[in-house]
């Protein structure tokens, strides 16, 4: 997962589509997260969806869209 940090947004979305089993989506804010995430860092939600169809749909949706959510790292 460390190699994701050096990828462009489009490359990451393509990686998610190809490796959907490594990810899950937050049911509260639709963020795509690593499958081992316990609490969503964006909204602090704890309910997740692991359906292949949803993960792929969200990744394709986010592919050409700029990031719009704030993370803790943006504030400090």
């Amino acid at each position: 997962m460390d190699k994701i940090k050096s990828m462009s947004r489009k490359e990451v979305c393509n990686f998610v589509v190809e490796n959907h089993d490594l990810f899950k989506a937050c049911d509260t804010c639709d963020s795509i997260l690593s499958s081992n995430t316990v609490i969503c860092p964006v909204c602090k939600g704890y309910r997740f969806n692991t359906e292949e169809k949803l993960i792929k749909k969200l990744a394709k949706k986010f592919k050409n869209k700029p990031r719009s959510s704030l993370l803790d790292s943006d504030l400090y």
Side-chain angles (χ1 to χ4, degrees):
M1 291 295 216
D2 287 335
K3 71 178 184 174
I4 287 180
K5 293 178 183 178
S6 64
M7 294 175 152
S8 72
R9 186 173 183 90
K10 287 183 181 185
E11 291 172 327
V12 170
C13 290
N14 288 334
F15 182 82
V16 170
V17 168
E18 294 167 9
N19 300 282
H20 57 83
D21 55 317
L22 301 176
F23 299 92
K24 60 185 173 184
C26 176
D27 277 341
T28 305
C29 69
D30 285 339
S31 292
I32 298 174
L33 309 161
S34 163
S35 62
N36 61 357
T37 302
V38 178
I39 296 176
C40 177
V42 177
C43 71
K44 308 304 184 226
Y46 55 88
R47 293 191 175 130
F48 303 98
N49 190 322
T50 58
E51 291 180 31
E52 174 183 350
K53 186 176 179 180
L54 177 66
I55 305 274
K56 289 181 175 183
K57 177 183 169 186
L58 289 172
K60 289 174 183 175
K61 174 184 167 184
F62 296 150
K63 191 173 189 176
N64 296 310
K65 185 179 173 186
R67 182 171 63 100
S68 59
S69 57
L70 287 173
L71 301 176
D72 290 342
S73 59
D74 295 326
L75 303 174
Y76 302 105

